[in-house]
Amino acid sequence: MYERLKLMYDLLAEDGSIYVHCDWRVNGYMRLILDEIFGKDNFQNEIVWQRFGAHNDGKKYGVVTDTIFYYSKSSSRIYSQQTEPYTEEYIKERFTMQDPDDRRFYPNVITGKGSGPARIFRGVSLLPAKGRHWTYTQEGIDELEKQNGIYYTKEGTPCLKQYLDEYPGRPVQNLWADIFMTKSGSELLGYPTQKPEELLTRIIKTSTNEGDLVADFFVGSGTTASVAEKLNRTWIASDLGKFSVHTARKRLIGVQRELKKENKNFRAFEILNVGRYERENFLATNDDLRADEKSKQAERKEKEFVK
């Protein structure tokens, strides 16, 4: 894996990222390799993906998670915050306040770290807590007051009204327990290590923009290429297994048909059997090495004979 990941690092764009999925057997080794190649400062997240709800693993805790290591090539990485829908439990727990028109909101603090000056709230000058500062200018506070955007606690502390209907959902954290393995439906292709399209959709939307190039060098059933095509990204996919290549090809033809049915543009793709050329080059190189070694052996025997 070291040589392969080093090559991937060299091919990666400066604002690109890599997601490496592995299971508990090799997590520790993979992390050390990635730290060495990409640098510890470019390690972004250890994502824990809950693949199953439960698993019977005999006399030990059931293994229901895998790890996805997320690294970037540099600090200029692309990152688009993704969200997941709020659960009813989360809404009840967090958005506890309501306006007279029944709009639910969360009273959030409007201070940040670092000292700052007082601001005027409802005609009264208020200092922030020690070591804190108001995150809005006076003009911003005045505008919030006009829009009824500030909530005051019983103690008179001003808070920002964060309305439920203004947020698309909860920011995705590093525990992904909302995406399970594909077990049924038209997406299931019977490939042993197939990933859910929802998983790849989250990754691709987070770290690329439309038109960007996505690469998967262990493409398997073609999930990455399929999702990249649907999200209007260009893509390169490779795999050593013939069954994988045929499965991915069939799947991508299905994507083309699906897009055509929806009157959307779709693109052609090309399959290149580069492995054969690599083998010929490898054999040629080995023949050269063998010929060179024979020449050296003959030269050594000649010198021994002269002696």
Side-chain angles (χ1 to χ4, degrees):
M1 283 302 297
Y2 184 93
E3 291 79 6
R4 296 178 183 187
L5 286 167
K6 184 65 173 67
L7 178 58
M8 293 176 206
Y9 174 84
D10 294 337
L11 293 171
L12 193 61
E14 284 301 312
D15 60 354
S17 299
I18 187 170
Y19 290 77
V20 180
H21 166 248
C22 49
D23 69 7
W24 57 273
R25 298 173 183 83
V26 294
N27 282 350
Y29 305 110
M30 197 67 70
R31 175 71 187 274
L32 292 173
I33 293 172
L34 289 164
D35 273 352
E36 181 174 336
I37 295 174
F38 285 83
K40 293 181 180 179
D41 292 342
N42 289 323
F43 170 62
Q44 303 300 335
N45 279 116
E46 177 183 4
I47 300 166
V48 178
W49 172 35
Q50 183 178 343
R51 304 167 63 209
F52 306 107
H55 205 266
N56 184 9
D57 286 313
K59 296 182 179 180
K60 64 177 182 180
Y61 299 112
V63 179
V64 298
T65 65
D66 275 357
T67 297
I68 301 173
F69 290 124
Y70 163 34
Y71 282 76
S72 63
K73 190 167 185 178
S74 69
S75 58
S76 62
R77 65 192 169 97
I78 296 171
Y79 184 79
S80 301
Q81 178 70 67
Q82 301 299 300
T83 59
E84 56 184 342
Y86 293 125
T87 63
E88 287 299 321
E89 182 182 359
Y90 183 82
I91 291 173
K92 291 178 181 178
E93 179 183 313
R94 187 170 180 85
F95 294 92
T96 55
M97 310 301 295
Q98 285 182 281
D99 275 345
D101 59 0
D102 293 332
R103 287 185 73 193
R104 299 179 73 101
F105 66 87
Y106 167 67
N108 201 0
V109 296
I110 50 177
T111 60
K113 291 183 179 179
S115 300
R119 299 285 189 227
I120 306 298
F121 292 87
R122 297 191 296 190
V124 178
S125 179
L126 293 178
L127 278 168
K130 187 176 181 181
R132 308 284 294 181
H133 69 278
W134 300 114
T135 53
Y136 283 82
T137 63
Q138 188 61 58
E139 291 77 10
I141 291 169
D142 294 342
E143 185 61 30
L144 284 172
E145 293 280 19
K146 290 179 183 177
Q147 297 175 3
N148 191 32
I150 297 180
Y151 169 80
Y152 292 91
T153 66
K154 293 179 180 179
E155 294 77 21
T157 303
C159 298
L160 178 67
K161 289 183 179 181
Q162 290 189 327
Y163 288 101
L164 173 62
D165 57 19
E166 292 180 350
Y167 288 84
R170 185 181 183 184
V172 172
Q173 308 297 302
N174 75 323
L175 173 61
W176 295 2
D178 58 329
I179 303 174
F180 289 134
M181 284 294 289
T182 303
K183 291 185 178 181
S184 61
S186 59
E187 186 185 328
L188 185 63
L189 300 176
Y191 200 84
T193 58
Q194 183 180 348
K195 307 295 186 299
E197 288 198 0
E198 191 178 353
L199 183 80
L200 272 300
T201 297
R202 178 173 291 174
I203 289 172
I204 292 172
K205 281 187 173 182
T206 298
S207 293
T208 65
N209 297 318
E210 285 197 36
D212 283 350
L213 176 61
V214 175
D216 187 342
F217 301 102
F218 307 91
V219 75
S221 64
T223 303
T224 301
S226 174
V227 173
E229 181 68 23
K230 292 175 183 178
L231 295 178
N232 196 28
R233 272 72 168 171
T234 54
W235 49 268
I236 296 175
S238 66
D239 205 288
L240 287 174
K242 283 186 177 180
F243 179 68
S244 167
V245 173
H246 291 315
T247 303
R249 172 183 173 275
K250 184 177 180 181
R251 184 173 189 172
L252 287 161
I253 291 173
V255 172
Q256 290 178 328
R257 290 172 177 168
E258 182 182 325
L259 292 173
K260 182 180 180 181
K261 189 181 294 184
E262 297 173 359
N263 292 320
K264 295 180 180 178
N265 292 330
F266 61 91
R267 298 171 290 197
F269 60 87
E270 187 175 9
I271 298 177
L272 302 175
N273 186 16
V274 296
R276 183 180 62 183
Y277 305 117
E278 287 182 347
R279 186 182 72 227
E280 290 173 355
N281 182 60
F282 175 76
L283 292 174
T285 302
N286 277 358
D287 288 341
D288 292 341
L289 290 173
R290 283 194 289 269
D292 186 53
E293 183 60 29
K294 287 180 180 178
S295 175
K296 288 179 180 179
Q297 288 176 358
E299 187 179 344
R300 284 196 297 270
K301 289 181 178 179
E302 183 181 348
K303 288 181 180 179
E304 289 172 359
F305 179 76
V306 170
K307 290 179 180 178

